[in-house]
Amino acid sequence: MKQKTALQFRIELMGITPMIWRRIEVPSTYSFWDLHVAIQDSMGWLDYHLHEFSIDPRRNAKPISIGLPEGELDTEFLPGWDVPVSRYLGEPGDECLYMYDFGDGWEHRVALEDIHPQQRGVKYPVCTDGERACPPEDCGGIGGYYNLLEILADPEHEEYESMVSWLNEHARNYWPHDPARFERSEVKFDNPKKRLKFVTG
């Protein structure tokens, strides 16, 4: 029987310093929808918004967009569940851009680092490393996140109480928010098939 393999990815949230990043391993049979769910869960996003994988197969070619089509007539996006990850990310060094929440504009660099046999006894996907907390959902993109951190650093700030209240009453309780905190043991991966059924009905 052919041994199962895993794809090891490094995901970096672009535009924020210090860097927020994760390292995950997923089955090599994964589709881009499956990878999307794994990125969401490992980063700490809530999957409330649209996403896109942008892949440029060669110079001067139109990037390939993979995501969640808005109906059968949408030809802009290839359905992520129909496209195997290995079709475009098949060799270490291959990478693409993953965009989430087109309003806040979060961009991630997704780089394939390694392909190796799956370890016996390990349930995939798995998060093996990472640093720093994910920004709170709907905080306003990079600029909004920096503004949030500035307000939280000053309890005397006129918006401090309202910001704390917003973090407390969010869909996920983000208070207290420690931007430096990340515990990979707390990462829980959802079943991508169940997530797809929920999204598409």
Side-chain angles (χ1 to χ4, degrees):
M1 186 174 71
K2 186 177 180 181
Q3 187 170 17
K4 296 179 179 179
T5 55
L7 306 176
Q8 176 181 303
F9 288 100
R10 179 181 170 100
I11 298 102
E12 300 173 352
L13 183 58
M14 300 167 66
I16 292 180
T17 304
M19 182 175 290
I20 299 169
W21 65 277
R22 305 287 184 265
R23 177 170 288 118
I24 62 174
E25 296 181 14
V26 306
S28 58
T29 55
Y30 256 27
S31 69
F32 274 94
W33 171 262
D34 301 330
L35 180 59
H36 153 71
V37 173
I39 291 174
Q40 287 280 312
D41 293 346
S42 62
M43 289 297 299
W45 297 120
L46 302 181
D47 205 1
Y48 284 176
H49 304 280
L50 294 174
H51 69 277
E52 175 188 4
F53 289 95
S54 182
I55 299 167
D56 190 355
R58 57 187 184 278
R59 190 174 298 176
N60 298 323
K62 181 180 178 181
I64 296 167
S65 296
I66 302 172
L68 185 65
E70 297 187 44
E72 295 180 359
L73 299 180
D74 185 354
T75 58
E76 181 180 355
F77 289 98
L78 297 175
W81 50 90
D82 284 343
V83 185
V85 170
S86 57
R87 180 177 300 174
Y88 297 110
L89 305 175
E91 298 291 339
D94 289 347
E95 61 181 65
C96 69
L97 184 67
Y98 172 77
M99 289 165 281
Y100 173 62
D101 186 351
F102 300 156
D104 280 5
W106 299 111
E107 296 187 342
H108 307 69
R109 175 177 173 264
V110 179
L112 179 60
E113 294 184 313
D114 192 22
I115 303 174
H116 51 251
Q118 293 187 20
Q119 296 182 41
R120 185 175 298 178
V122 174
K123 184 179 179 180
Y124 292 87
V126 62
C127 181
T128 60
D129 205 356
E131 289 184 300
R132 304 187 67 79
C134 185
E137 193 92 17
D138 298 322
C139 68
I142 295 172
Y145 183 55
Y146 279 134
N147 183 59
L148 168 66
L149 295 182
E150 182 179 333
I151 293 171
L152 294 181
D154 179 12
E156 302 301 318
H157 195 286
E158 62 180 2
E159 295 182 49
Y160 181 83
E161 292 298 330
S162 62
M163 193 62 75
V164 170
S165 177
W166 179 75
L167 291 170
N168 263 306
E169 296 171 5
H170 206 288
R172 170 184 292 171
N173 188 342
Y174 286 105
W175 182 254
H177 179 70
D178 180 359
R181 185 178 186 277
F182 172 68
E183 294 292 338
R184 66 182 181 87
S185 61
E186 296 178 2
V187 173
K188 306 298 180 187
F189 290 99
D190 196 11
N191 184 320
K193 289 184 174 61
K194 289 183 179 179
R195 183 85 62 90
L196 180 60
K197 187 176 182 180
F198 175 79
V199 171
T200 61

